Amino acid sequence: MSKTSPSAPDLHVDSLLAHGGGGFDLATGAVVPPIQTATTFVRDESYELRNPGHLYSRDDNDLFVKTEGLIAALEGGAESRLFASGMAAIAAIARTVRPGGTLLAQSGIYWGTTLFLRKLCARSNVALVETEASELEIFLEEISVTKPDLVWLEVPSNPFLKVADIRSIAARCKEMGAVLCVDATAATPLILKPLNLGADLVMHSATKALNGHSDLLGGVVTTADADSEAWAFVREERKLAGAVLGSFETWLLLRGLRTLSLRVERMNDNARKLAAFLDGHPKVETVLYPGLASHPQHELAKSMMTGGFGSLLSAQINGGKGEALKVAGALDLFQRATSLGGTESLVEHRFTIEGEGSGIPENLLRISVGIEHIDDLIADLDQALSVI
Ligand code: PLP
């Protein structure tokens, strides 16, 4: 490659990812970028910045710019901004709703998001409406009636794996002047591109599959329109509220992204096979996974997703809390830990985390499928299910 940077329009995203966004360091010829640890950048004798792009690292640094450019290309978006965690990204977007405004959020989504939105809205005089989004007509009606400033979806939802119709919801949001943001963490941008379906913003917890190695916290927001009012606010929030990703974490994220397409391919393939195995298992009551033909939104998921259905699934075990915990406790290869999107498969009893009143069934185990050999994953679940 003679150019310092491969040009995005000519290449498949897998190729862009494999090169970490492309290019080599002009000064050294290194094929991976250096970690810029400086927080501040010098001015010359006439007080001009030596490099006009660099003043202070809360505003910008080369690694942010490179990583954000790569993610914006993956999403088919105009611009991205990295944040210190998924929650920091969510907070910046949620704060676009001013006091007196309304936020309509899908119910039954990631518990941390629900909790944060409830607390933020209560103390900021924002009306929060929580509604099931897979019941399309009801949700559309809610948009028309409540006239929200911001609509929050999570596709697929965690841990129920429900799938909302982004196209129809985006069209109603446009009609009513609402901003639509989709948390597509559980899908990854390789499988679901909400901006192409009409959403204004898409966000990911980069802690999950984007990085993929369970060794950093990060978040990212991408906009369809770099000139929108919502985007101006999010950009300003990142800079002024200061929830920036550290340089080392940004470097790790860019390294993780190099293998995203391979990891997603394997994780999706494993998840599909594991869901099929669990679906026919006599000790399993229900499997929640949009890739199963029996999933209520399977056709919708097929119409929005490409190359798979994500690597998150939930299984309701025959019996109650005791049986679910027994199965989780008997697993050898799966780690009993929260989170998702890493190379290692994880199992979690969400009821233990969220508790009474959360609506989480006591017999539900959430499974994040990793890149192990599928035979080992199936064998481990099979032996664990045999203890009940
Ligand atoms: N969105 C979803 C769907 C998640 O599952 C999580 C965390 O589990 C988050 C957002 C929050 O991300 P973070 O833990 O990086 O703050």
Side-chain angles (χ1 to χ4, degrees), residues 14-328:
D14 305 37
S15 309
L16 281 182
L17 285 166
H19 286 252
F24 53 80
D25 183 50
L26 274 176
T28 63
V31 296
V32 292
I35 304 174
Q36 177 56 266
T37 54
T39 52
T40 192
F41 298 85
V42 295
R43 295 172 181 273
D44 65 16
E45 296 77 358
S46 48
Y47 219 68
E48 295 300 324
L49 284 166
R50 287 251 172 227
N51 179 335
H54 291 82
L55 186 154
Y56 188 60
S57 64
R58 175 155 38 75
D59 307 341
D60 256 331
N61 75 40
D62 277 349
L63 274 176
F64 291 172
V65 172
K66 198 174 180 57
T67 311
E68 288 166 350
L70 177 57
I71 293 173
L74 286 186
E75 299 279 16
E79 275 184 21
S80 300
R81 282 294 182 277
L82 291 169
F83 282 83
S85 67
M87 288 313 302
I90 290 169
I93 301 162
R95 288 195 289 251
T96 60
V97 185
R98 285 156 214 248
T102 300
L103 198 165
L104 172 61
Q106 177 178 356
S107 56
I109 57 173
Y110 170 56
W111 184 233
T113 304
T114 301
L115 263 186
F116 174 74
L117 293 181
R118 285 179 187 172
K119 285 176 189 286
L120 176 81
C121 292
R123 65 176 180 249
S124 317
N125 186 29
V126 168
L128 175 66
V129 182
E130 295 179 47
T131 308
E132 171 57 55
S134 57
E135 298 288 342
L136 181 62
E137 288 311 319
I138 296 174
F139 199 80
L140 292 179
E141 184 60 16
E142 203 70 69
I143 299 172
S144 297
V145 170
T146 59
K147 300 182 179 56
D149 300 278
L150 175 68
V151 173
W152 189 272
L153 295 179
E154 192 177 275
V155 185
S157 66
N158 168 13
F160 292 109
L161 284 305
K162 293 194 177 172
V163 178
D165 183 341
I166 299 172
R167 276 190 201 94
S168 306
I169 293 171
R172 183 63 60 93
C173 283
K174 288 224 157 35
E175 216 177 284
M176 300 305 298
V179 172
L180 174 62
C181 180
V182 180
D183 178 344
T185 298
T188 81
L190 294 182
I191 287 180
L192 182 65
K193 296 190 197 305
L195 301 184
N196 289 353
L197 301 170
D200 301 291
L201 301 171
V202 54
M203 96 28 80
H204 287 265
S205 162
T207 311
K208 318 300 183 194
L210 290 182
N211 176 56
H213 295 76
S214 307
D215 54 9
L216 68 83
L217 282 172
V220 63
V221 191
T222 304
T223 184
D225 176 7
D227 298 322
S228 71
E229 200 183 318
W231 189 243
F233 185 95
V234 168
R235 252 188 347 223
E236 199 173 276
E237 269 292 294
R238 209 286 293 273
K239 189 166 164 169
L240 298 181
V244 290
L245 196 61
S247 288
F248 182 54
E249 283 75 11
T250 312
W251 185 87
L252 277 178
L253 173 59
L254 191 57
R255 185 172 71 163
L257 284 166
R258 286 178 170 244
T259 55
L260 181 68
S261 59
L262 279 180
R263 288 185 284 106
V264 164
E265 211 174 292
R266 170 65 78 92
M267 287 156 74
N268 275 280
D269 202 39
N270 279 352
R272 190 175 47 79
K273 290 175 178 155
L274 215 55
F277 164 76
L278 289 169
D279 198 33
H281 200 285
K283 303 277 180 68
V284 175
E285 186 184 290
T286 320
V287 180
L288 311 176
Y289 182 62
L292 287 173
S294 56
H295 186 282
Q297 295 102 38
H298 177 62
E299 289 306 318
L300 174 64
K302 271 205 317 203
S303 77
M304 298 195 300
M305 297 176 171
T306 46
F309 298 90
S311 54
L312 191 68
L313 59 99
S314 292
Q316 289 178 247
I317 307 302
N318 281 351
K321 181 176 170 181
E323 284 73 15
L325 285 172
K326 244 189 197 162
V327 172

